[in-house]
Amino acid sequence: MGKDIIVLDALTYEYRKEDEEQPVKALDGVSLSVAEGSFTAVLGKNGSGKSTLAKNINALLLPSGGAVYVDGFNTADEAHVWEIRQRAGMVFQNPDNQLVSAIVEDDVAFGPENLGVATEEIKLRIERSLKSVGMYEFRKKGPHMLSGGQKQRVAIAGVIAMRPKCVIFDEPTAMLDPKGREEVMDVIRMLHGEGVTIVLITHFMEEAVHADRVVILDDGRVALDGTPEEVFLEMEAIREMALDAPLVVELADRLRRRGWDVPPVIKMEEMVEYLCR
Ligand code: ADP
């Protein structure tokens, strides 16, 4: 694993509304470092601060306290906002809000154009990034003709055309059907395999088992942080935070209570392997 590409140093974030005296503290002293090339899943119930965390990494929000560094750049330093957004791309929940052009390939070109990439190079990047998400044959189509999963893959192509070192996915599959979810997860795993650092915010536990690190936020603080195996074995803590463990972990837990000696499995294949032995 390489150096830390994202460093959150005691990050606190408060939403302030003019008409309300009390600010809402969405993040409360979060310290986390994300190693280059790693795959971190961030979980937590609604309102735990996941989206606020993502937006702070991308400099869409700036810390109320503490600091955020992306590839060494302090997000509070306005002069570097484009360096930061180019390095840490972001994919949001709703694909419709992310596609801005009437034609797929124009959409993918949008980011690199804003970065001032040369026209010939942009053409190459459109081709490569659309091919890598399996959407090249749709390059002349209008986004309205695509399924949710396809739109989300085009949105991802637009982000990877900027050659980010890191991509933050903020519940990218929440609005998709199971097929769309699978398509998007395949693309995320492919990017990770190519060395892109992944931060995946999700409420699907099944998606988090693919990560090499799981961070659970609760009430604006880091409640659990470790490998998926370590975190998902904390069944009590997970239940107390009103979260469900992945199905396989629940099953293993119930079998253990019936006296079975089940090893710490988190993936379906591992459970099948164990049961068939
Ligand atoms: P999550 O993504 O885990 O659902 P959020 O980061 O969206 O959590 O929200 C964390 C807390 O901040 C919640 O209490 C939420 O109500 C509050 N919050 C989020 N966005 C705003 C906003 N624009 N104005 C005021 N409070 C907000």
Side-chain angles (χ1 to χ4, degrees):
M1 228 39 92
K3 63 174 179 128
D4 291 333
I5 181 141
I6 297 168
V7 176
L8 311 184
D9 181 11
L11 169 64
T12 293
Y13 188 84
E14 292 178 341
Y15 288 97
R16 290 174 184 280
K17 283 192 189 151
E18 281 172 22
D19 50 334
E20 285 171 34
E21 286 184 5
Q22 281 292 335
V24 177
K25 195 177 263 191
L27 293 172
D28 188 3
V30 173
S31 290
L32 273 182
S33 297
V34 175
E36 196 158 5
S38 63
F39 182 168
T40 304
V42 179
L43 304 170
K45 63 172 182 280
N46 274 341
S48 57
K50 303 181 300 297
S51 260
T52 307
L53 184 99
K55 288 176 188 152
N56 270 279
I57 296 172
N58 197 243
L60 286 171
L61 296 176
L62 297 177
S64 316
V68 177
Y69 300 90
V70 174
D71 208 16
F73 294 104
N74 187 331
T75 59
D77 189 348
E78 275 176 37
H80 292 132
V81 69
W82 287 108
E83 275 98 340
I84 289 163
R85 299 225 173 119
Q86 187 269 321
R87 281 169 175 77
M90 211 162 149
V91 176
F92 296 93
Q93 190 177 99
N94 189 342
D96 289 322
N97 296 347
Q98 299 175 82
L99 305 182
V100 289
S101 306
I103 311 260
V104 162
E105 62 181 4
D106 294 347
D107 221 287
V108 179
F110 187 77
E113 274 168 3
N114 277 313
L115 292 174
V117 175
T119 312
E120 280 309 304
E121 169 71 15
I122 290 179
K123 279 190 196 152
L124 268 177
R125 289 197 191 184
I126 292 173
E127 184 180 330
R128 284 208 195 122
S129 49
L130 280 175
K131 279 183 177 164
S132 75
V133 300
M135 288 298 291
Y136 186 64
E137 62 192 284
F138 295 88
R139 63 194 179 280
K140 302 284 182 197
K141 297 254 190 278
H144 63 278
M145 298 170 75
L146 309 178
S147 71
Q150 290 173 329
K151 282 185 208 171
Q152 200 61 309
R153 285 190 279 152
V154 172
I156 296 170
V159 169
I160 59 182
M162 293 191 277
R163 302 271 162 87
K165 290 186 175 182
C166 172
V167 182
I168 300 122
F169 293 87
D170 188 359
E171 303 210 21
T173 65
M175 301 180 73
L176 307 181
D177 60 17
K179 181 165 177 288
R181 285 214 286 272
E182 200 53 49
E183 291 170 5
V184 168
M185 282 308 298
D186 284 346
V187 170
I188 292 175
R189 283 196 290 265
M190 180 267 304
L191 285 177
H192 178 229
E194 288 179 353
V196 178
T197 310
I198 306 289
V199 177
L200 171 65
I201 292 171
T202 180
H203 64 256
F204 292 108
M205 297 286 164
E206 265 43 54
E207 295 179 355
V209 302
H210 299 290
D212 41 47
R213 180 182 181 187
V214 173
V215 172
I216 301 193
L217 287 185
D218 189 42
D219 207 11
R221 299 200 182 104
V222 175
L224 291 171
D225 180 359
T227 63
E229 286 82 2
E230 289 163 354
V231 167
F232 290 131
L233 279 178
E234 301 285 335
M235 291 293 286
E236 286 305 314
I238 288 174
R239 288 201 189 102
E240 272 168 28
M241 289 185 279
L243 292 171
D244 295 320
L247 187 63
V248 167
V249 176
E250 286 281 354
L251 180 58
D253 187 53
R254 288 190 201 184
L255 288 171
R256 271 183 218 116
R257 286 196 219 178
R258 295 276 186 102
W260 290 51
D261 183 23
V262 188
V265 288
I266 56 167
K267 296 197 180 106
M268 190 64 83
E269 307 86 72
E270 296 167 343
M271 179 57 102
V272 170
E273 183 71 20
Y274 168 74
L275 290 175
C276 291
R277 244 188 280 130

